[in-house]
Amino acid sequence: MRILVISDLPQFVTGGAEKQAANLIEAWLEAGNEVTCFGRRMGAEPVHIGRHLVPARRIRTLQRAGRLLRGASYFFSLSLLLVRHRGQFDLVYTRFLGEAAVTACLLKSLRLVNAALVATPANTGGRRGGDAGFLASVPCRNALVRLLDAHCDAINLIAPAMAAELRKIGFSGRNFSHIPNGVAVRADAPPHSQRRHMFLAVGRVARQKGYDVLIEALALIKNRLRPGMVRIAGDGAERPQLQARAAQLKVADAIEWLGELDHASVLRELEDAKVLLLPSRYEGMSNAGLEAMERGLAMLMTRCGGLDTYVQPDMGWVIEPGDAESLAAAIEASLSSSAQSLQSMGSCNRACVLQRFALATVATRYLELFSRLVAARSAGTP
């Protein structure tokens, strides 16, 4: 099968959705499929993914223009690429239910592109930042929703909460599929008795990730803190402000800011920690969370309608986003848990990954969906 992926890829961007796209592309290539990638941050040179070289094309945009001109330039550039190369792919896969999916749907409605189309929203959160929130914020929202609903052969929902959010803004749900994000499964991780650190948070330092709420929560349990108890792997523009707030609340010593780490270093940190902190305001299906579960960590996370829906009480703690008091209470509960209890939670999380989120299984489910859609389109059936 010839698959076109519209998404930027690492090394050009470090977001979780893009990392997931790269992981899937590698698995699809290993299964013998052809993959090409279009992205706005990439050049025209092929991109290395694992042992493969993936052909790439750049979607040219006016980056310094306003939102309207930037969007128009993206639309025309991607449209030109799709029409020019339309005979070279059987299926289009877009990460995010945004500009790329809208462009492909419009070209399909005009019969300029005839490939099957699968769009995967990346975030839940409604108006707080999810894909549904983006669509609700743009002009001609109702027309765009009708266009996407009519011409996406499948809208794949990686997080359960996405279904209600999309239906709320007008999607019918007739073309929803439910394949989660996947994670590579490795050999068993070290037991908790060999791990040196209690808490690890992984993710860019941005408001979405809720590190400001984490700092407020730590200030509520100062008597339980010790130096370097919380390690944060990631960086971003908000870090100086958060560090200043931590110093103001006298909890700065409890936090060790590790900065941006490569993937191998993140995996080493995961193998050295006991509990993953994921205090996000919104998420889709967190890659960091999946990798933590695969590495056998207990989970302490917010209720965002994604990975948290799989976390039962014997796997960790789930709290409401933005609630510092509940976060503080959950941190205290984890500190009061025995080593055996945390180890058991980690084992349950790893078992959940093996059953539901193994990358090889997820990639195969996508290919099965793609094959059905391509066959249906070839046969002229809906």
Side-chain angles (χ1 to χ4, degrees), residues 57-181:
R57 297 289 185 275
R58 183 181 178 186
I59 305 169
R60 299 186 179 276
T61 58
L62 300 174
Q63 293 294 333
R64 298 184 180 181
R67 179 177 177 178
L68 183 59
L69 285 176
R70 188 166 60 248
S73 64
Y74 179 93
F75 168 76
F76 285 112
S77 178
L78 177 56
S79 296
L80 184 62
L81 287 171
L82 288 172
V83 172
R84 180 182 296 171
H85 298 280
R86 60 185 171 182
Q88 300 174 18
F89 47 83
D90 305 305
L91 180 136
V92 179
Y93 176 78
T94 72
R95 202 74 190 185
F96 297 105
L97 189 61
E99 301 101 319
V102 169
T103 303
C105 284
L106 183 59
L107 294 179
K108 288 184 68 177
S109 72
L110 298 173
R111 300 187 178 183
L112 295 175
V113 169
N114 192 41
L117 172 63
V118 177
T120 294
N123 284 311
T124 63
R127 295 186 181 277
R128 293 175 294 170
D131 292 58
F134 164 77
L135 288 171
S137 71
V138 299
C140 306
R141 157 190 138 174
N142 293 335
L144 290 179
V145 168
R146 288 195 298 270
L147 179 72
L148 290 164
D149 197 42
H151 293 286
C152 285
D153 295 87
I155 298 175
N156 184 63
L157 311 182
I158 60 174
M162 289 176 175
E165 290 180 359
L166 292 176
R167 283 193 173 97
K168 185 176 180 179
I169 64 171
F171 284 88
S172 67
R174 63 164 187 85
N175 51 0
F176 288 176
S177 60
H178 301 268
I179 304 173
N181 281 352

Side-chain angles (χ1 to χ4, degrees), residues 159-161 285 301-312 318 357:
M285 180 68 69
M301 63 193 309
T302 47
R303 194 179 312 281
C304 294
L307 190 57
D308 56 280
T309 61
Y310 300 90
V311 175
Q312 303 302 313
V318 178
F357 304 116

Side-chain angles (χ1 to χ4, degrees), residues 154 343 363:
Q343 178 75 45

Side-chain angles (χ1 to χ4, degrees), residues 6 24 26 32 48 80-81 91 111 135 147 174 200 205 215 217 221 235 263 268 270 285-286 288 304:
I6 305 178
L24 289 170
E26 184 174 9
H48 281 276
L80 184 62
L81 287 171
L91 180 136
R111 300 187 178 183
L135 288 171
L147 179 72
R174 63 164 187 85
L200 177 69
V205 182
I215 290 170
I221 54 170
D235 211 346
H263 188 240
R268 286 194 293 270
L270 288 170
M285 180 68 69
S286 168
C304 294

